[in-house]
Each structure stands twice: as structure tokens, then as C-alpha cells.
Amino acid sequence: MTAGYRDESLITQVAGVHADHAAPGQVLTGRPTSSSTLPGLVVRMLRHGEIYDGADVLDLATGSGYSAALLSRLLGDAHVTSIDVDPYLTEAAAERLDRVGLHPKVVTCDGNGPLPGRYDRIVSMVAVRPIPVSWLEALRPGGRLVTCIANTSLIVTANKTDDGWAHGQIERDWAMFMPTRSGSGAYVSRLTDMYEAIRDQSGEDVRQGRYPVVDAGAGWELRSMLEVTAPGIEDRYEEDEDGRRTAWLLHEDGSWARASAQGTDCPTVHQAGPRRLWDIFDDLRFHWLASGSLPLYGARVSITPKGVIRVWRGTWKGVIR
């Protein structure tokens, strides 16, 4: 019971198996597929949504039902719809909400597809890339959406205009959510076999890197910029007992890189495939060092009716599609 009142995320489902269905002492491996999100983050996302009395709100990704509960207390049941792709999650959340006297509309559906209504606010507790067309179709003119971009820590807020576009910004805030799923099963990495094959392989191009090895996945700003610049790169990282750091970058186009060094020494970098992924990564790090920042946070955003996100700040421009 006390865990539910701590300001931390609680993993409730791993590889499609919910904690309710796990045997006592069972240890599951794989990626989390649902959680009860950090309560403070839920509140921040709702604040970004600029919720107001009388607004019809879509809570996208029911999870434990916590965000739906907050919205129902604030707005009343009739103004809240909560959806999730997993039928067990929606069923269990609806039962929990009922026990505390809350009855928002809870629907099992794919958040990437048609939505069950029209809304003044869409607040997503899952990450997407690009923005699903159905979101813009379901959002009323003047309505506002809040979401994270998949594989980044970028929170996008945008208001829909009469022409079907939405305009806003990348907030000077950060969060990371699981990406949307089209089914209730586990997430599957398509690059696991590739990683095993190239883990210790010599590259076509071997040279010394410019900067120390870092864990790209833990450096949220760098990871976000890498995803926007070269989408689809997966990363791995290890540090052994002697302090040797090794990082891998992989892409389904066959490109890969491995950088390894003792501590903060400049690494030996192996690369192969059509692109030099570590060079792309180091170019971003050079920009960061030379400029003192990366241009993503605070950038302006325009979202086309097809869900493509155009991003710019100063002279820098990017497209998230």
C-alpha cells in the first residue's frame, strides 16, 4: 500500500505479463510493458495540458488508472475518456476506479488508430513517433495535445488550429515513456541478433574517438538529439569492474559502432556499415561543447495534419516523421 504513495514509477507489467498474473517469487525478464507512472510526472503532464473546467479530456494509456482518477476527480466522470491497447489493463483499472467511486469512460483501443470521441485535450502517457493522424482528427480546433516523442525525453505541447495543423513547442522539461504498442504483447528489439553478431567484431573503420565513452541511453539530451538526427539507432552500454567502458550503437540499415576505453580515456572506435554512427554521435557532442547546449529544448514545433513534426530553434531545423 505504501508503495502507491511514493513519488516513483512502479513497473506493473513485464513482457506482457502483469504482476497480477505472476507467480510468487517469479522473476520476469524483458522490457516493461506497463507501469504506474511517477505521480509527480503525471501531474506535470496534466499541467502541460492546461486542463480547465468543462474540458473533454482523453487520457491516453490507462495503465494503473491513476491519471484517469485525477482527471475524474477534477472534471467529473463525463468529461474523461481513458484508453489502453491492453484489455486487462483497462478492465483492471475500471474496477479499481469503480471501487473509489469514479466512472470515467475506459476503452480498450489502439491509440495509433481511430479514437472513441472528440476532445479538447489529449494527454498521452506513452510516447509516439510521429503524432498519429487520428489524434489530430479527434482534437477539436483550439484543443491541445501533450505527448513525448518515442526514444527521446522530449515533451511536445501543441494547440490545434482551424486548418488542421497544431503549433507549439518542445517544453523545457523532460520525461521518458514507453512507446505505443499495437497489441498487448511484449516489445521486441529487431536488433538483438545483430548486437550479438557484432558485439566483439572488428570494424571496417577503426580509429580513436574524440571524447570519452558515455552511456547514450542515460544522457537524455544527447539521446534525444541523436534520435532526431539519426532516428532508429539503438544503444547498449557496459562498464566492467575495472572501469572499462564500452558502448554500442546499432541501426537496422546494418550500421554499427563500438567504442571502448578505460575510464575517461579517448576510446578505440570500431565502425561498419553504410554510416559511421559514432561519428554522428561525436558530431553532436562537439556541437554541445562548442555551443554550450543542444537546440531541442525550447524549440518551436508545427505538426502537419499527417502528424509530421517540424522543429526549429534559431538557425537549426529538424523534422520528426
Side-chain angles (χ1 to χ4, degrees):
M1 177 66 73
T2 57
Y5 289 91
R6 292 201 298 262
D7 195 25
E8 61 184 54
S9 291
L10 302 174
I11 301 302
T12 56
Q13 190 182 65
V14 174
V17 179
H18 198 276
D20 291 347
H21 305 138
Q26 181 181 4
V27 177
L28 296 170
T29 60
R31 292 176 60 183
T33 45
S34 188
S35 69
S36 182
T37 300
L38 178 81
L41 176 55
V42 172
V43 172
R44 279 166 41 211
M45 294 296 283
L46 296 179
R47 284 176 175 164
H48 284 307
E50 299 180 359
I51 310 299
Y52 62 89
D53 288 345
D56 293 322
V57 180
L58 177 65
D59 166 45
L60 212 151
T62 305
S64 67
Y66 180 72
S67 51
L70 295 183
L71 287 166
S72 294
R73 286 290 191 197
L74 178 66
L75 300 173
D77 296 337
H79 290 287
V80 180
T81 301
S82 184
I83 68 170
D84 205 293
V85 72
D86 189 320
Y88 180 75
L89 295 178
T90 53
E91 178 184 351
E95 290 177 357
R96 292 188 198 98
L97 291 163
D98 178 68
R99 288 200 295 268
V100 294
L102 299 174
H103 304 94
K105 184 178 182 180
V106 182
V107 180
T108 302
C109 73
D110 185 345
N112 293 305
L115 299 178
R118 287 177 60 77
Y119 309 97
D120 302 300
R121 296 291 187 266
I122 295 176
V123 181
S124 173
M125 303 294 173
V126 291
V128 294
R129 181 191 180 123
I131 304 297
V133 172
S134 61
W135 293 19
L136 292 166
E137 293 173 343
L139 195 64
R140 294 173 179 142
R144 183 174 177 86
L145 66 84
V146 182
T147 191
C148 279
I149 303 304
N151 301 316
T152 79
S153 57
L154 305 177
I155 300 174
V156 171
T157 61
N159 298 322
K160 185 178 176 180
T161 49
D162 291 338
D163 59 3
W165 287 59
H167 305 279
Q169 66 181 359
I170 293 175
E171 296 290 338
R172 294 183 182 275
D173 191 3
W174 52 87
M176 294 192 82
F177 287 99
M178 302 171 199
T180 54
R181 295 178 288 153
S182 293
S184 58
Y187 294 107
V188 178
S189 171
R190 292 174 292 182
L191 301 182
T192 299
D193 290 344
M194 178 182 178
Y195 168 68
E196 295 298 334
I198 62 88
R199 176 184 164 85
D200 299 309
Q201 186 175 316
S202 294
E204 303 164 352
D205 181 326
V206 183
R207 69 179 84 166
Q208 187 178 53
R210 290 176 277 174
Y211 311 112
V213 177
V214 297
D215 180 358
W220 285 15
E221 189 174 4
L222 274 171
R223 186 68 185 84
S224 297
M225 194 70 193
L226 182 62
E227 177 65 18
V228 171
T229 304
I233 292 175
E234 290 191 12
D235 60 270
R236 307 283 195 281
Y237 178 81
E238 289 182 2
E239 185 168 347
D240 65 22
E241 294 179 354
D242 297 326
R244 173 165 286 276
R245 304 176 179 180
T246 305
W248 295 260
L249 300 176
L250 310 96
H251 194 275
E252 62 183 359
D253 69 2
S255 302
W256 63 268
R258 181 180 70 255
S260 185
Q262 191 69 32
T264 58
D265 293 345
C266 288
T268 299
V269 179
H270 292 254
Q271 301 186 88
R275 292 184 294 169
R276 298 296 179 251
L277 301 185
W278 200 262
D279 291 354
I280 295 171
F281 189 49
D282 269 356
D283 286 346
L284 296 178
R285 298 170 76 186
F286 175 79
H287 185 283
W288 197 3
L289 291 170
S291 303
S293 66
L294 291 171
L296 279 174
Y297 294 98
R300 304 301 301 168
V301 162
S302 286
I303 305 170
T304 75
K306 296 296 186 183
V308 176
I309 307 169
R310 298 178 181 176
V311 188
W312 71 95
R313 184 177 172 200
T315 59
W316 176 82
K317 296 180 181 180
V319 177
I320 302 172
R321 63 175 81 247

